[in-house]
Amino acid sequence: MKIPDIIIAIDGYSSTGKSTLAKKIARKFGFLYLDSGALYRGVTLFAQEEGFINRISVIDPTLKEALKSLDLHFDAEGKLCMGARCIEPQIRSMEVSAQVSPIAAVPYVREWVDEMLHEFGRRGRIVMDGRDIGTAVFPDAQLKIFMTASEEVRARRRYDELVAKGENPLLEEVVKNLRERDYIDSHRETAPLRRAEDAFELDNSDMSFEEELAWVQGLIQGKFGIL
Ligand code: CDP
């Protein structure tokens, strides 16, 4: 039996492994995976490169107008591009991580990103991860998961990821960035990070990828009567 045309929303704190799980679910059920955080990171890179944000994260309000001509899209491999340029490596850097949460707290930036997300949502059969997918972007999503993990585990995962990409981060910088982003993301006025009341919570601090996927499959089977 086939899984119905649904939207699966995965939200949670930084580096809880949302995208890893979302990609696995997408592959398993033939869904499209959409990384909403990549779009906020793309807008941040644009703001940095074009001088709309300064070192202390003061944002020039003319960014709003400039967004009208910004072309962000995903290529066939799901990598984020700005115009003709693939910007995947740049958007994952510590520089972008350091300023993405202030940018993502700006209401007109969220509107700009939400418009793209809603466009994708119209297709159905999609797994989207982020901070506000189950609460604000798709409050009617048929399955919502809220992910958490201990700070230590999350910091170590992000640190290892950055090292694997050839960066040379300090573990304490990574911890500081996760804390700052979680704080800003949870305390902003527009669409703050929080668990939707009808979201299933998953703490994967001590879980393997296989256990995690089995947990989700159990949920899907329970909810939709399919494996
Ligand atoms: O990979 P990680 O969980 O660390 O972050 P991400 O998903 O790439 O998101 C980067 C940042 O974008 C977050 O810290 C939020 O500030 C913002 N974001 C958001 O506000 N709303 C979303 N739906 C997704 C990301």
Side-chain angles (χ1 to χ4, degrees):
M1 213 197 282
K2 239 179 63 167
I3 191 165
D5 262 8
I6 58 166
I7 294 179
I8 301 178
I10 304 185
D11 291 305
Y13 296 98
S14 312
S15 303
T16 42
K18 297 180 298 290
S19 66
T20 307
L21 180 62
K23 279 181 201 158
K24 286 213 165 97
I25 298 174
R27 206 171 309 128
K28 172 97 192 150
F29 296 106
F31 274 34
L32 180 74
Y33 163 60
L34 204 115
D35 174 0
S36 67
L39 296 170
Y40 287 103
R41 289 174 177 276
V43 173
T44 305
L45 182 70
F46 172 72
Q48 289 176 334
E49 290 184 341
E50 301 297 321
F52 290 106
I53 185 166
N54 71 9
R55 267 189 307 114
I56 54 166
S57 298
V58 175
I59 300 160
D60 183 332
T62 57
L63 172 64
K64 183 176 182 178
E65 191 58 28
L67 285 180
K68 290 187 183 151
S69 57
L70 173 59
D71 165 24
L72 289 183
H73 59 271
F74 294 95
D75 68 11
E77 289 170 32
K79 297 200 185 316
L80 191 70
C81 304
M82 191 191 290
R85 178 176 150 226
C86 172
I87 53 169
E88 199 60 35
Q90 290 88 337
I91 61 167
R92 308 290 165 192
S93 68
M94 279 297 279
E95 285 72 26
V96 166
S97 293
Q99 294 196 306
V100 63
S101 287
I103 289 276
V106 176
Y108 63 75
V109 171
R110 302 203 71 77
E111 275 167 33
W112 190 88
V113 170
D114 282 357
E115 211 171 294
M116 285 182 75
L117 301 181
H118 285 139
E119 196 56 47
F120 279 107
R122 266 194 266 283
R123 306 177 187 185
R125 298 183 67 75
I126 190 158
V127 190
M128 203 177 277
D129 77 342
R131 301 293 186 285
D132 63 338
I133 308 303
T135 51
V137 183
F138 294 115
D140 297 330
Q142 291 84 347
L143 179 62
K144 301 179 188 178
I145 298 171
F146 189 80
M147 292 183 66
T148 64
S150 73
E151 184 180 274
E152 201 188 331
V153 167
R154 296 191 289 123
R156 173 54 66 179
R157 283 180 188 152
R158 182 50 47 100
Y159 176 85
D160 289 346
E161 238 173 61
L162 288 164
V163 170
K165 283 180 184 149
E167 281 206 45
N168 193 14
L170 288 173
L171 186 58
E172 64 216 53
E173 280 296 313
V174 175
V175 172
K176 186 167 162 271
N177 176 251
L178 295 188
R179 280 190 193 150
E180 270 172 13
R181 280 201 288 137
D182 287 346
Y183 184 86
I184 300 173
D185 294 346
S186 324
H187 290 83
R188 69 184 174 220
E189 243 168 70
T190 313
L193 166 65
R194 61 175 178 82
R195 182 171 89 77
E197 272 173 27
D198 51 349
F200 294 91
E201 187 160 335
L202 171 66
D203 180 340
N204 67 1
S205 307
D206 299 311
M207 277 171 118
S208 66
F209 290 141
E210 291 72 26
E211 287 169 331
E212 208 175 66
L213 192 61
W215 181 89
V216 175
Q217 276 183 250
L219 263 190
I220 291 177
Q221 187 180 23
K223 230 177 136 61
F224 306 105
I226 47 165
L227 242 194

